[in-house]
Amino acid sequence: MSILIKNVNVLTQNSRREILRDVDILTEGNRIEKIGKNVRERAEFKIDGRGKLAVPGLVNTHTHIAMTLFRGYADDAVFWEAWPKRVWPREAKLKADDVYWGSLLGCLEMIKSGTTCFADMYFFMDETAGAVKESGIRANLSYGMIDSGDVKKGKKELGVGERFVKDHSNTADGRIQCSFGPHAPYTCSKELLQKTAELAEKYGIPVQIHMSETRKEVFDSIKQHGKRPAEYLESIGFLSERIIAAHCVWLTKRETKILGERGVKVSYNPVSNMKLASGGVAPIPEMMESNVCITFGTDGAVSNNSLNLIETMKVGALLQKAHRWDAEILNAQQALDFATINGARALRTDAGSIEVGKLADVVLLDLKSPNLVPSHNLVSNFVYSANPSNVSDVVINGKLVMERSRILTVDEDKVLEKAEKVAFDLMGR
Ligand SMILES: [Zn+2]
């Protein structure tokens, strides 16, 4: 398929962070073929880009997509009281079909809010892969492994994780890639973590893990290992450039240096951290000082409650400003970098910017919207003013997935109806 977007403004996110006005973008197959004035080539699809802004599709580096089914089900409550009572018993009763519809619901929500690629860790992941395939979005998926210190169970979990990697890597025209997903240092044995790091090296893929989300887990780590989580993972040889560590709220400066030295990627989840009252604020300035590649995640919908990465960019920047009493500490351009090029780098996806030769993951926003006028600063407008209703068209892997706010790949009404039904059914089990 080829697509020609005519007369559009572009936030390129190239190395010079160029903003182009009134240019054409031509995609051929799954790549961006040409960007410039008066592109004359014919294309199968033509989009009138006048009054629109093209941005690279956003990359959400941490979620548990099927948890959309739990949206609004454990709100405004203490995490360690509400989750064991409300979320975990229901999660244990999840069926494959529930995960499929919950995942499709999440895919729709992400596409409609300008996200074209996400990283996921959960179970029944074959179903999530099916939803990704059908919806047209791009994803890096992992089976979430937990052995609670039981080495025998760890071997079994790793078997499931490896099977998933073998079955799904590079499927759906390359839109689905895989990773390993050891849940956290406190739910996985040392053996499982070390073996995972080895296998990730063998397959050349990322590893997703939760790290230092709460103060309790830091205290427990010190009690159990005599080390803080990042120091412990460093000591067992786990940390590398393949690791995507979600949350990283409770880090010392020494730990941020370790992450930087090892090339670890961090998924900053400000909305989830605030909503669950994790207490701290991720030390983003110190991580930037240590050259850590920082990206954005929403976390699952039970702890956010949306999968809206536009909102996450804004909240992520504002939280740092408020916390440090410093309006310059994290600016809109940096937040946009986290959500685009850094996210793509973490997931090893050749996207994250609108440049010739890159994967054609392009989102169009309608600039003729009250919240986006005037256009003094298009980066600020996107990060601080935009919302999902401004997203009009979405191209992923060179295919038109949404046109004029209408999803083309799946029947949206049916997905909403089925997701509502399975969610209610699940809560009654
Ligand atoms: Zn998570």
Side-chain angles (χ1 to χ4, degrees), residues 339-384:
T340 55
I341 41 175
N342 286 14
R345 195 175 137 211
L347 299 188
R348 297 169 173 250
T349 301
D350 194 17
S353 63
I354 300 180
E355 293 179 88
V356 170
K358 285 281 189 120
L359 287 169
D361 292 3
V362 178
V363 169
L364 296 186
L365 304 176
D366 189 356
L367 290 176
K368 288 183 198 150
S369 311
N371 62 319
L372 298 178
V373 173
S375 54
H376 295 308
N377 184 333
L378 290 172
V379 173
S380 283
N381 278 9
F382 181 34
V383 174
Y384 294 141

Side-chain angles (χ1 to χ4, degrees), residues 86-142:
R86 294 178 70 77
V87 181
W88 295 338
R90 298 281 180 282
E91 229 175 14
K93 288 180 179 170
L94 271 173
K95 294 177 191 162
D97 191 52
D98 306 329
V99 171
Y100 174 75
W101 290 108
S103 298
L104 254 187
L105 178 67
C107 289
L108 288 189
E109 186 184 355
M110 283 197 262
I111 293 165
K112 298 195 96 171
S113 51
T115 293
T116 55
C117 182
F118 70 99
D120 204 75
M121 175 206 287
Y122 209 53
F123 39 95
F124 291 120
M125 290 304 289
D126 293 334
E127 304 299 320
T128 301
V132 169
K133 192 173 173 205
E134 277 198 42
S135 67
I137 201 167
R138 187 186 299 288
N140 187 301
L141 307 176
S142 69

Side-chain angles (χ1 to χ4, degrees), residues 62 64 210 246-247 299-300:
H62 184 69
H64 314 283
H210 295 89
H247 301 301
D299 211 350

Side-chain angles (χ1 to χ4, degrees), residues 44-249:
E44 287 158 70
F45 279 92
K46 211 164 155 186
I47 299 173
D48 183 0
R50 279 175 299 179
K52 291 189 174 176
L53 175 68
V55 299
L58 302 179
V59 182
N60 182 350
T61 57
H62 184 69
T63 188
H64 314 283
I65 189 170
M67 293 192 93
T68 48
L69 299 177
F70 293 90
R71 192 191 327 261
Y73 194 68
D75 293 345
D76 310 321
V78 179
F79 171 76
W80 59 87
E81 287 171 9
W83 286 50
K85 251 191 255 162
R86 294 178 70 77
V87 181
W88 295 338
R90 298 281 180 282
E91 229 175 14
K93 288 180 179 170
L94 271 173
K95 294 177 191 162
D97 191 52
D98 306 329
V99 171
Y100 174 75
W101 290 108
S103 298
L104 254 187
L105 178 67
C107 289
L108 288 189
E109 186 184 355
M110 283 197 262
I111 293 165
K112 298 195 96 171
S113 51
T115 293
T116 55
C117 182
F118 70 99
D120 204 75
M121 175 206 287
Y122 209 53
F123 39 95
F124 291 120
M125 290 304 289
D126 293 334
E127 304 299 320
T128 301
V132 169
K133 192 173 173 205
E134 277 198 42
S135 67
I137 201 167
R138 187 186 299 288
N140 187 301
L141 307 176
S142 69
Y143 166 69
M145 303 184 288
I146 293 179
D147 70 356
S148 311
D150 177 347
V151 175
K152 216 169 133 198
K153 191 182 172 209
K155 273 192 184 149
K156 224 173 124 195
E157 286 283 270
L158 199 57
V160 179
E162 189 178 9
R163 168 55 47 208
F164 179 75
V165 168
K166 283 183 178 165
D167 284 351
H168 295 281
S169 282
N170 210 21
T171 57
D173 301 324
R175 281 188 291 110
I176 299 179
Q177 299 295 338
C178 297
S179 50
F180 285 101
H183 175 265
Y186 61 92
T187 48
C188 296
S189 64
K190 183 176 94 179
E191 289 75 10
L192 175 55
L193 292 169
Q194 287 175 325
K195 198 82 193 117
T196 298
E198 263 172 49
L199 277 185
E201 202 60 43
K202 179 182 155 193
Y203 287 98
I205 57 175
V207 177
Q208 305 182 43
I209 190 165
H210 295 89
M211 194 182 82
S212 298
E213 181 178 1
T214 64
R215 205 159 46 147
K216 180 182 183 305
E217 76 182 79
V218 175
F219 288 152
D220 289 348
S221 176
I222 293 170
K223 224 190 282 169
Q224 198 185 343
H225 308 294
K227 295 182 176 77
R228 300 173 67 90
E231 295 166 348
Y232 164 65
L233 291 177
E234 165 74 350
S235 75
I236 64 166
F238 180 79
L239 297 182
S240 75
E241 57 189 19
R242 301 196 178 284
I243 307 300
I244 304 164
H247 301 301
C248 295
V249 174

